[in-house]
Amino acid sequence: MSLKEDIIKKTKEYHDEKFTFDKATSIPTVNTKQLTFGCKGWIFDAVVLYIDMRHSTQLLDDHKRNVVAKLHMSYYNAIVRIAKVDGGEIRSFNGDSLLVFYWGKDTTTVDKAVRSAFRMKYAIDELVNPNLEGYKDINFGIGIDMGNIIATKVGIGGDDTTKDLIWLGNAVNRSTKISDKCEAPSHVGISESVFNKLPDTLKAYKTKQQTIFGIQEIKHEVWIRQTMVYNNDWEAFYTSSCTLRFE
């Protein structure tokens, strides 16, 4: 059978076969045996964190390739370590971006994902960039949403270079869109559904300040409400410039 015939045959098989979904028992990997190349997917609820480096093409203009490689290595080293510590499942390295899933979509999971984002911001801004002296600062955007995710296997099998998983759902698409809206100094953005599930401790904080009336507690909002167009409709999202320090 020719290459042309192979492609037509497989496309018709996909067209005619009924697509079935199984409830995921964990966040799958490309080696999950239950996911085949047929019309089958795993479905699960998750909080999605998407981080993308900004202006990477400009970095190639400003620095030699070996320097850009060092910048990427430092960037990925920081965000992967933080995601793993916070219980995130890392998927889909793609050039300058990374997709992280946090299993479930309850308040505890939302809290973990947002704290991860604030730690990533702290790490890149205050640990990575200052220690890459002489190089251009790494800029980035983080978007977070939650919802129903479908994972399915694509490619043709064989070794890992000819197969992968794709992740489908508004939570993935929206987190990417929000990430596109975020960069220095407001690196972190969240959807309205994520904002509504945040604990109060991640919505505002108080500090004590000396005023002419004595020491007073001042409330600081963590988030600024923004709007964007998603699927041809205007919707709210929230951005923040806050960080979360760690040892």
Side-chain angles (χ1 to χ4, degrees), residues 197-242:
K197 273 213 170 177
L198 282 178
D200 290 342
T201 52
L202 285 178
K203 287 185 176 179
Y205 63 94
K206 293 179 180 179
T207 59
K208 290 183 178 180
Q209 294 183 12
Q210 181 69 48
T211 71
I212 59 173
F213 304 105
I215 296 176
Q216 292 188 329
E217 273 196 338
I218 308 296
K219 183 179 180 181
H220 305 271
E221 298 293 337
V222 172
W223 304 95
I224 298 172
R225 188 179 187 273
Q226 316 271 10
T227 57
M228 68 178 183
V229 176
Y230 180 76
N231 282 348
N232 298 317
D233 288 321
W234 286 96
E235 65 180 47
F237 71 104
Y238 297 79
T239 60
S240 178
S241 59
C242 290

Side-chain angles (χ1 to χ4, degrees), residues 6 38 61 72 77 87 96 98 101 115 124 163 174 176 241:
D6 276 341
D61 290 338
H72 279 74
N77 174 67
D96 309 318
L98 184 68
F101 294 105
R115 288 179 184 274
I124 296 171
K163 62 184 177 182
R174 188 178 282 106
T176 304
S241 59

Side-chain angles (χ1 to χ4, degrees), residues 30-72:
V30 72
N31 294 316
T32 297
K33 292 180 180 178
Q34 294 92 328
L35 281 176
T36 66
F37 292 98
C39 289
K40 185 175 183 179
W42 267 19
I43 192 165
F44 60 96
D45 288 334
V47 179
V48 182
L49 184 154
Y50 178 85
I51 179 169
D52 188 32
M53 187 185 290
R54 294 282 167 267
H55 314 305
S56 56
T57 302
Q58 185 63 44
L59 288 177
L60 281 169
D61 290 338
D62 294 340
H63 298 298
K64 293 180 180 178
R65 285 173 294 179
N66 65 312
V67 171
V68 176
K70 290 179 182 181
L71 292 171
H72 279 74

Side-chain angles (χ1 to χ4, degrees), residues 34-137:
Q34 294 92 328
L35 281 176
T36 66
F37 292 98
C39 289
K40 185 175 183 179
W42 267 19
I43 192 165
F44 60 96
D45 288 334
V47 179
V48 182
L49 184 154
Y50 178 85
I51 179 169
D52 188 32
M53 187 185 290
R54 294 282 167 267
H55 314 305
S56 56
T57 302
Q58 185 63 44
L59 288 177
L60 281 169
D61 290 338
D62 294 340
H63 298 298
K64 293 180 180 178
R65 285 173 294 179
N66 65 312
V67 171
V68 176
K70 290 179 182 181
L71 292 171
H72 279 74
M73 292 165 69
S74 301
Y75 161 81
Y76 275 122
N77 174 67
I79 61 180
V80 168
R81 285 178 182 274
I82 291 165
K84 290 300 288 181
V85 165
D86 289 333
E89 291 289 335
I90 296 153
R91 300 289 185 272
S92 194
F93 284 90
N94 185 20
D96 309 318
S97 66
L98 184 68
L99 195 59
V100 185
F101 294 105
Y102 299 80
W103 180 265
K105 54 180 185 179
D106 56 16
T107 299
T108 301
T109 307
V110 168
D111 182 276
K112 282 182 183 178
V114 173
R115 288 179 184 274
S116 266
F118 286 155
R119 289 188 182 105
M120 290 176 186
K121 175 174 169 54
Y122 166 68
I124 296 171
D125 280 354
E126 300 189 43
L127 305 180
V128 174
N129 283 336
N131 285 292
L132 292 172
E133 190 176 347
Y135 302 157
K136 195 165 186 176
D137 282 352

